[in-house]
């Protein structure tokens, strides 16, 4: 019989919640749904796009997202997979993600880093994020 400590049970639940957060990012991107996507952010979040545009605060992230996400030119499937989670503190984690855009005959990849923070109500929110495009060698 395996016994889990309260700490390991909490950690497992947090990892599951972080995976769910990233799955919701995937769903929002796949459906080009800015409202679902924006609901995942801390109000004071920082977001840096894959092209280096720095967005500080939910208002700036919202303005950008509502403009670009529904009009995104890709037409295919996008996947987001948690590659690694590093807990910096029990309520703060760095999450490395593998992002893939799949269209007929073409694939591109990104390597976002999400710093997420656990809120008083138990939700994990995107707090400081950097999108990075992967250049094929």
């Amino acid at each position: 019989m395996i016994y889990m400590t309260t700490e390991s049970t909490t950690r497992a639940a947090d990892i599951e919640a972080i995976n769910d957060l990233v799955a919701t990012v995937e769903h929002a991107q796949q459906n080009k749904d800015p409202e679902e996507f924006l609901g995942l952010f801390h109000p004071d979040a920082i977001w840096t796009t894959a092209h280096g545009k720095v967005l500080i605060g939910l208002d700036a992230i919202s303005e950008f997202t509502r403009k670009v996400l529904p009009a995104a030119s890709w037409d295919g499937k996008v996947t987001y997979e948690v590659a690694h989670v590093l807990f910096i503190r029990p309520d703060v984690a760095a999450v490395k993600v593998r992002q893939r855009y799949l269209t007929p005959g073409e694939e591109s990849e990104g390597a976002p880093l999400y710093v997420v923070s656990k809120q008083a109500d138990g939700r994990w929110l995107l707090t400081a994020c950097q999108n990075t495009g992967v250049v094929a060698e």
Side-chain angles (χ1 to χ4, degrees), residues 12 14 16-17 22 27 31-32 36 40-41 43 49 53 55-56 61 74 76 91 97-98 107 126:
D14 286 337
E16 182 178 345
V22 172
H27 185 268
N31 293 287
K32 300 179 184 178
E36 181 179 37
L40 303 173
F41 283 89
T49 71
K53 183 171 182 69
L55 307 165
I56 299 174
I61 295 167
W74 60 270
D91 61 340
V97 175
R98 181 174 186 218
E107 178 178 334
L126 300 169

Side-chain angles (χ1 to χ4, degrees), residues 1 26 31 33 37-38 40 45 51 61-62 77 82 92 95 115 123 126:
M1 178 177 271
E26 176 184 281
N31 293 287
D33 184 343
F37 183 64
L38 294 168
L40 303 173
H51 299 102
I61 295 167
S62 296
K77 182 176 182 179
V82 173
V92 177
V95 182
V115 176
R123 292 180 309 138
L126 300 169

Side-chain angles (χ1 to χ4, degrees), residues 58-128:
L58 189 54
D59 288 344
I61 295 167
S62 296
E63 181 181 345
F64 176 83
T65 300
R66 288 187 178 115
K67 183 172 71 172
V68 302
L69 186 56
S73 61
W74 60 270
D75 189 27
K77 182 176 182 179
V78 60
T79 64
Y80 288 70
E81 174 188 353
V82 173
H84 185 76
V85 176
L86 169 65
F87 284 91
I88 299 165
R89 298 186 335 206
D91 61 340
V92 177
V95 182
K96 195 62 186 167
V97 175
R98 181 174 186 218
Q99 171 191 59
R100 296 173 55 217
Y101 288 95
L102 309 165
T103 58
E106 189 178 339
E107 178 178 334
S108 62
E109 188 170 337
L113 175 65
Y114 300 155
V115 176
V116 297
S117 58
K118 188 174 186 178
Q119 307 307 294
D121 64 3
R123 292 180 309 138
W124 286 89
L125 295 178
L126 300 169
T127 305

